Amino acid sequence: MTLKVKEKKDVEIEISEAWCKGCVICVDYCPHDVLIMERGKAKVANLAACTACMLCELHCPDFAIVVRDKSKE
Amino acid sequence: MFNYDQYLRITKFPLIWCPGCGDGIVLKSLVRAIDKLGIEKDSVCMVSGIGCASRLTGYVDFNTLHTTHGRAMTFATGVKMAKPDLHVIVITGDGDATAIGGNHYIHAARRNIDLTVILFNNHIYGMTGGQVSPTTPKGMLASTAPYGSMDHTFNISGLAQAAGASFVARASVHNGVQLENYIAKAIQNKGFSLVEAMSPCPTAYGRRNRLGAGVDMIEELKRDAVPYSKAKKMTPEELEGKVVTGIFINEEHPECRSEYQKIIDRFQKEK
């Protein structure tokens, strides 16, 4: 059995530095290690791996992450 | 992406809650649930008491009412009686609803008045200084329990169920989608609806009890969560320390405001 790998998508991730409190929840939730922490704030490190699953946007308690899936727009 | 901005008072941001606090996740789920149901902003009234959770009403662009400690349910009852067309949503915490306002909470459930109660359960009084609350687990430390809480805890959902609520569900912030679905169902239900949202408090509860940061506490909630269907087959010993999530009751029965309307109609006919 082969695992179906979710297709890579054309996405844009916007992180508001002013609102991010560095709680690490987004980094913890991301299944593809797209996000990392840098100087206490979340940062996009590997945008190409993002599948727009929206887990980070759904669970960011501070409304600091916006994931735009361009294929849906 | 979901556009939260239209439902929020952006000028009040960033949120007051601590890093790692789950209350923001509940706020997001609540906003998405209201958007999903297509409810107009002006037909929602949010009422809150005092506490971390209750600060939520300051950030949403609905009709909002920030009231005194523990009395959110009484103000909400008044709003619902006077304006039955409004969707009245009560935002409250475990200490606010079940200790300070415990009486109001059980009687609102008993009357089955059409309120949607979103109860944030973080096992502690966070904002007022980390005092022990009725849901602080036995043995856990709090500022007023330096040797560990010695009392049994309240089962908040069970309490509402026993008192007569018509919709009772529990979800945890580790699953924002489940929380959103339950809140949407609770708003749709005509009668007293409770959604108990399990949320971590890394500052007042987690730090004192060495439970790690907010993200560790969310991981713990994820590990401890047991679906209600599975929990029914488990023994009380097996359920020790677990968080049962799911819809516990969902059945409509006579609602307080509609019953009151019947009396009004009867007397107006006789006049």
Side-chain angles (χ1 to χ4, degrees):
Chain A
M1 199 186 97
T2 51
L3 276 172
K4 199 179 166 195
V5 179
K6 230 181 157 186
E7 235 177 272
K8 303 280 176 291
K9 286 187 178 158
D10 188 15
V11 286
E12 202 178 81
I13 303 175
E14 200 183 297
I15 297 174
S16 161
E17 273 213 19
W19 290 4
C20 175
K21 292 182 189 142
C23 67
V24 205
I25 291 175
C26 55
V27 179
D28 185 64
Y29 266 91
C30 180
H32 298 288
D33 300 326
V34 174
L35 302 159
I36 54 160
M37 294 304 291
E38 201 178 84
R39 274 180 260 122
K41 306 273 177 184
K43 200 189 149 206
V44 181
N46 185 10
L47 188 64
C50 181
T51 59
C53 68
M54 301 287 172
L55 279 175
C56 57
E57 194 193 287
L58 274 170
H59 294 94
C60 170
D62 293 298
F63 297 74
I65 298 188
V66 176
V67 180
R68 282 196 191 86
D69 185 353
K70 286 184 192 159
S71 61
K72 277 189 187 165
E73 279 168 15
Chain B
M1 68 169 283
F2 180 90
N3 186 14
Y4 293 96
D5 295 6
Q6 52 176 323
Y7 296 99
L8 301 173
R9 293 173 184 154
I10 295 293
T11 50
K12 304 277 183 198
F13 273 60
L15 300 165
I16 195 175
W17 298 314
C18 309
C21 173
D23 291 6
I25 304 175
V26 188
L27 167 56
K28 276 189 156 172
S29 307
L30 179 59
V31 166
R32 286 198 308 274
I34 290 172
D35 183 81
K36 190 160 87 175
L37 297 175
I39 300 171
E40 239 181 85
K41 276 204 290 188
D42 285 343
S43 67
V44 175
C45 181
M46 275 195 196
V47 187
S48 68
I50 295 294
C52 293
S54 300
R55 292 296 294 260
L56 187 150
T57 47
Y59 299 111
V60 286
D61 192 21
F62 303 112
N63 302 297
T64 57
L65 191 57
H66 196 171
T67 70
T68 48
H69 209 348
R71 315 293 174 230
M73 231 99 39
T74 61
F75 284 86
T77 303
V79 172
K80 189 72 200 179
M81 285 309 231
K83 298 263 181 197
D85 296 332
L86 286 179
H87 292 275
V88 185
I89 300 173
V90 180
I91 309 294
T92 182
D94 52 313
D96 191 47
T98 59
I100 311 257
N103 200 12
H104 309 306
Y105 173 68
I106 53 172
H107 286 284
R110 174 181 64 85
R111 282 175 166 155
N112 193 29
I113 184 158
D114 189 12
L115 305 178
T116 305
V117 179
I118 317 292
L119 198 152
F120 296 54
N121 184 355
N122 58 6
H123 306 301
I124 201 98
Y125 281 91
M127 181 169 286
T128 53
Q131 291 91 346
V132 69
S133 94
T135 54
T136 307
K138 205 172 177 172
M140 293 312 238
L141 305 177
S143 64
T144 49
Y147 307 109
S149 168
M150 53 186 189
D151 304 316
H152 286 291
T153 56
F154 254 150
N155 175 350
I156 293 178
S157 294
L159 192 64
Q161 223 175 317
S166 54
F167 180 93
V168 178
R170 188 192 283 130
S172 135
V173 295
H174 83 264
N175 190 340
V177 180
Q178 188 185 42
L179 199 53
E180 175 192 335
N181 290 339
Y182 288 175
I183 293 173
K185 277 185 185 157
I187 295 172
Q188 279 176 311
N189 177 55
K190 198 164 170 60
F192 188 89
S193 320
L194 171 82
V195 177
E196 185 184 351
M198 305 303 292
S199 173
C201 173
T203 306
Y205 181 69
R207 190 160 54 187
R208 199 180 296 269
N209 288 292
R210 304 194 182 281
L211 298 174
V215 65
D216 303 315
M217 294 175 79
I218 290 180
E219 284 289 336
E220 201 184 322
L221 276 174
K222 200 191 278 183
R223 275 196 301 274
D224 289 346
V226 178
Y228 184 46
S229 52
K230 199 175 160 194
K232 276 193 250 183
K233 294 171 201 148
M234 290 164 76
T235 61
E237 289 78 36
E238 284 174 323
L239 284 172
E240 195 75 39
K242 300 282 182 205
V243 179
V244 183
T245 59
I247 297 173
F248 302 116
I249 191 164
N250 186 9
E251 51 180 44
E252 284 201 13
H253 48 262
E255 189 265 326
C256 176
R257 186 59 180 81
S258 330
E259 295 300 304
Y260 178 57
Q261 191 60 43
K262 278 181 200 164
I263 296 175
I264 295 174
D265 293 345
R266 199 175 84 206
F267 280 98
Q268 276 179 345
K269 237 180 255 167
E270 281 174 17
K271 211 158 54 175

